[in-house]
Amino acid sequence: MTSIRARFAPSPTGHLHVGGARSALFNWLFCRRNNGAFILRIEDTDIQRNIEGADAKLREDLRWLGIDWDEGPDVGGPYASYNQSERLDLYKAAERQLLETGKAYYAFDTADELDAMRKEAIARKDNFRYPRPSNFPSDADAEKARADGRPVVVRFAVPNEPITVHDEILGDVTFGAGEVEDLVIVKSNGWPTYHFAVVVDDEQMKVTHVLRAQEHLMNTPKHVFMQRALGYATPVYAHLPLVFNIDGTKMSKRDKHKVVRTAVKEKLKSKAWTKEDAANVAQCDPAAFDRWLDKADTEMDMSQVSRLAEPAGAVIPEIDVHDFRVSGYLPEALLNFIVLIGWLPGEFREKLTREEMIAAFSIDRIGKTPGRFDRDKLLSMNTDYCAAATPARMLEAFRDWAAVSNSPLASLDDATAARAIEACKGMRTLRDIETKAGILFAPDEAVQFDPAAVKKVLDKKDGAGYAMLAKLLPVIDAQEPWTAEAVDGLIKKLCESEGVGMGDIAQPLRVAVAGKPVSPGIGETLVLLGKGKTVNRIRRCLALQA
RNA sequence: GGCCCGUUGGUGCAGAGGUAGUCACGCCGCACUUUCCAUGCGGAGACGCGGGUUCGAUUCCCGCACGGGUCACCA
């Protein structure tokens, strides 16, 4: 029996995408379930696209989710290196083998020439397939072409025969003869293309199972043909259903641009902004902004897009794992949510710990239908996880969130943070703690009074709210002890003596100390604030009246 | 356009040749209530269409429609 080996092979172009996280998770679960080895391999053969430090981010995102690996760039392993950029010799050897056996050949077309051929094919309503020469160029021809300044690539000569690939999820999938074109396997800069590198690496790393997104299904015949040509084993394939947005479109990083672009266009249409205004807000070159507006996502980077989001009234959707971390999701909740996209354990049970997922995982329970990324469901799941987590866990998660999101609450001491968390029970995300209680830890001058709240809670009925505050001030000042229970008790007693409801007292107080009608329970709110600041803020609020 | 995959309430998922179901999210209503959140209870809501096989099909077969993926010197 061969031992199971599977890998997750991202390219270092940024943070880990939730779709990628799902692929990583499934491979990881599969390995853990079957005592296999989980490999992390960095596919960095596209030198231009690699982003500095992206692999470190990727690893951090994976670790945050609780996914670890047995072999990889940082932990090493028997088949190092685990960075494709350090494995050129291997690809060169395989390239040589293919060239010498006449299963691959040199080609010298320029990008423009290829483009013209494709356009011509489209004009003829034909599918473009690279025309294989009847005689393959020799090494000397390649040398000469290089010397002439022509690009030299190597193409794989795909056998002209039908192929059936077996997929553990989809069953047998057949492709007709001639469906697959002679793909480039070595680029003109000498680096292998993805297709070639995966095949070589999977063989060399003895990968037995490949669980990957269904967008790779069409690549599988290419890979299998190459495996045969090289005398390699073919791993077991399982193509995971795609992850869609709730509206059925494919979830992608582009969605971030899309949302902001749509909002910006609204602004322009309503003449609220001019293009110059928008480019200024984005701190972007106007010409580049124009191109961006015309769907060129690469023309502005995320920091520029982010600057536009709020003023344009757009909320950038979370796409990367890191986005969810910054938004205040618990990794265990995100993980649980992600595992449910395309998979469900046998029983009617959704909440699963990592260990339960491992115990229950099997490929044959993976569905074929695309999963939709239902943000409401995630939110609800996170709410449940927050409610179920121990105080110690919540404190730890809160600290992590405060750090990665640059929250001012990062400076709270443990005891205070724990109380703030407790006061915000029922929160949906960790960020709710900041939106709900953050103002209590800010300087008194930072309180901004929300006009609508002032009108509704304080001004109404000839300033009854203000009157109540004035009456409350000395009582609160004299209150001892200053605990949530005691303060709540005090207010309840006042309700009776004044003959009013809780709302008539709690709401004015809330607006006075928080500037808005939202905060934790009133006793908690005032105690978290402290008596001195409570009194100070009430005075500050009363000054509004004049 | 070629090729490939998919189609059970708004979403995720069960299900069996005899005319659909649990759970969860969402939605609606009610309750609780000092705000927001949360919580409790109740409710509405579906087998894409057309053929065929069959006594009978949502379940099997074919076609169509719809959705999606893929057709790079990106991975």
Side-chain angles (χ1 to χ4, degrees):
Chain A
M1 199 194 124
T2 59
S3 58
I4 283 173
R5 297 174 59 80
R7 43 66 171 182
F8 175 58
S11 60
T13 53
H15 269 296
L16 180 66
H17 180 272
V18 286
R22 209 265 312 243
S23 296
L25 174 60
F26 279 31
N27 278 289
W28 180 80
L29 287 172
F30 182 68
C31 288
R32 292 290 172 264
R33 174 76 182 84
N34 299 290
N35 290 315
F38 179 58
I39 304 162
L40 177 66
R41 183 174 72 216
I42 304 297
E43 311 229 318
D44 51 0
T45 53
D46 190 345
I47 314 298
Q48 260 112 53
R49 281 190 166 215
N50 291 343
I51 290 174
E52 185 77 25
D55 57 334
K57 285 183 182 173
L58 244 17
R59 290 199 298 268
E60 191 190 340
D61 293 337
L62 247 14
R63 288 218 175 84
W64 180 72
L65 282 171
I67 296 175
D68 58 352
W69 47 96
D70 307 305
E71 297 171 27
D74 47 356
V75 298
Y79 304 100
S81 165
Y82 292 87
N83 281 84
Q84 290 187 328
S85 57
E86 295 169 5
R87 299 168 61 80
L88 235 197
D89 291 350
L90 250 21
Y91 311 130
K92 280 290 160 207
E95 173 191 348
R96 206 64 246 161
Q97 182 186 340
L98 251 18
L99 243 18
E100 274 165 16
T101 52
K103 289 171 176 166
Y105 58 92
Y106 293 110
F108 314 122
D109 315 83
T110 65
D112 288 344
E113 287 164 350
L114 285 170
D115 212 39
M117 284 192 263
R118 283 197 190 95
K119 285 210 173 95
E120 199 187 315
I122 291 171
R124 284 199 312 271
K125 293 197 172 174
D126 250 356
N127 285 304
F128 174 73
R129 249 171 237 125
Y130 187 80
R132 186 186 306 172
S134 40
N135 294 309
F136 291 171
S138 65
D139 287 347
D141 294 332
E143 276 308 312
K144 186 171 179 306
R146 234 186 298 268
D148 291 345
R150 301 211 39 109
V152 176
V153 302
V154 177
R155 283 181 183 267
F156 176 62
V158 176
N160 189 241
E161 59 193 56
I163 184 171
T164 298
V165 298
H166 180 73
D167 182 280
E168 289 294 306
I169 295 166
L170 301 169
D172 287 338
V173 182
T174 300
F175 301 84
E179 284 299 332
V180 185
E181 82 162 327
D182 288 356
L183 64 148
V184 172
I185 57 173
V186 179
K187 309 180 214 177
S188 57
N189 64 9
W191 286 95
T193 58
Y194 156 76
H195 299 293
F196 192 43
V198 225
V199 166
V200 172
D201 287 341
D202 284 349
E203 169 75 9
Q204 195 263 349
M205 294 180 180
K206 301 205 162 34
V207 169
T208 58
H209 294 256
V210 173
L211 277 64
R212 49 156 55 150
Q214 221 177 86
E215 65 199 24
H216 285 290
L217 184 60
M218 303 303 280
N219 293 332
T220 312
K222 299 176 187 171
H223 300 172
V224 174
F225 274 131
M226 280 192 267
Q227 286 153 4
R228 291 179 185 168
L230 287 159
Y232 293 173
T234 291
V236 175
Y237 286 102
H239 288 92
L240 277 18
L242 263 11
V243 181
F244 286 167
N245 286 310
I246 202 70
D247 66 4
T249 56
K250 194 184 159 199
M251 206 171 169
S252 103
K253 301 191 187 208
R254 255 165 280 202
D255 294 343
K256 294 188 184 184
H257 291 267
K258 204 162 75 185
V259 166
V260 176
R261 178 154 39 222
T262 307
V264 169
K265 281 186 173 167
E266 272 309 307
K267 284 277 181 192
L268 294 174
K269 206 168 153 192
S270 69
K271 304 243 160 80
W273 284 1
T274 65
K275 283 188 179 181
E276 289 70 37
D277 295 338
N280 272 336
V281 173
Q283 295 173 28
C284 172
D285 169 63
F289 172 79
D290 246 27
R291 288 193 294 270
W292 175 82
L293 203 58
D294 195 35
K295 285 204 185 322
D297 289 349
T298 48
E299 292 294 338
M300 290 213 294
D301 60 37
M302 269 327 289
S303 62
Q304 294 173 313
V305 175
S306 311
R307 278 193 282 270
L308 277 170
E310 210 188 301
V315 178
I316 297 178
E318 299 98 346
I319 301 286
D320 296 327
V321 167
H322 191 258
D323 296 336
F324 289 97
R325 186 178 181 184
V326 171
S327 287
Y329 288 86
L330 260 27
E332 49 270 44
L334 218 211
L335 198 75
N336 196 156
F337 176 75
I338 286 174
V339 84
L340 261 17
I341 303 175
W343 179 81
L344 198 74
E347 332 86 86
F348 288 124
R349 191 167 52 115
E350 291 193 326
K351 297 272 166 53
L352 300 162
T353 63
R354 222 171 251 119
E355 289 64 37
E356 289 168 333
M357 287 178 203
I358 293 170
F361 192 78
S362 78
I363 292 182
D364 47 63
R365 290 214 62 88
I366 298 175
K368 298 179 182 181
T369 55
R372 275 147 132 109
F373 198 94
D374 186 342
R375 288 165 192 277
D376 289 328
K377 175 121 181 173
L378 205 212
L379 204 49
S380 156
M381 189 158 266
N382 201 59
T383 305
D384 292 349
Y385 268 89
C386 284
T390 63
R393 171 64 192 128
M394 282 306 283
L395 181 60
E396 177 189 37
F398 174 73
R399 288 261 176 246
D400 178 71
W401 168 78
V404 299
S405 66
N406 296 316
S407 168
L409 299 189
S411 61
L412 297 187
D413 61 75
D414 279 355
T416 310
R419 277 165 59 201
I421 294 167
E422 176 66 17
C424 294
K425 261 195 300 203
M427 75 184 86
R428 291 140 66 99
T429 66
L430 294 164
R431 179 178 278 166
D432 287 351
I433 298 169
E434 184 179 288
T435 54
K436 196 167 179 179
I439 192 66
L440 304 178
F441 305 105
D444 293 344
E445 306 73 50
V447 176
Q448 306 227 337
F449 295 95
D450 168 27
V454 168
K455 196 171 164 197
K456 184 177 173 203
V457 177
L458 300 174
D459 290 341
K460 227 172 49 179
K461 291 191 228 157
D462 298 323
Y466 288 114
M468 183 58 76
L469 285 178
K471 202 177 292 181
L472 251 24
L473 195 54
V475 187
I476 282 182
D477 208 8
Q479 170 61 28
E480 282 296 339
W482 194 249
T483 64
E485 298 73 35
V487 172
D488 273 331
L490 170 73
I491 294 175
K492 282 204 180 96
K493 216 182 291 164
L494 283 168
C495 286
E496 284 169 33
S497 62
E498 294 292 323
V500 297
M502 269 302 254
D504 293 313
I505 295 182
Q507 286 302 80
L509 273 173
R510 220 184 297 272
V511 173
V513 302
K516 58 189 176 182
V518 176
S519 83
I522 196 64
E524 286 289 354
T525 298
L526 301 191
V527 170
L528 243 19
L529 230 201
K531 198 206 277 185
K533 300 187 82 174
T534 299
V535 169
N536 191 33
R537 289 187 184 190
I538 293 175
R539 290 212 175 95
R540 211 171 150 264
C541 177
L542 283 171
L544 281 180
Q545 200 176 11

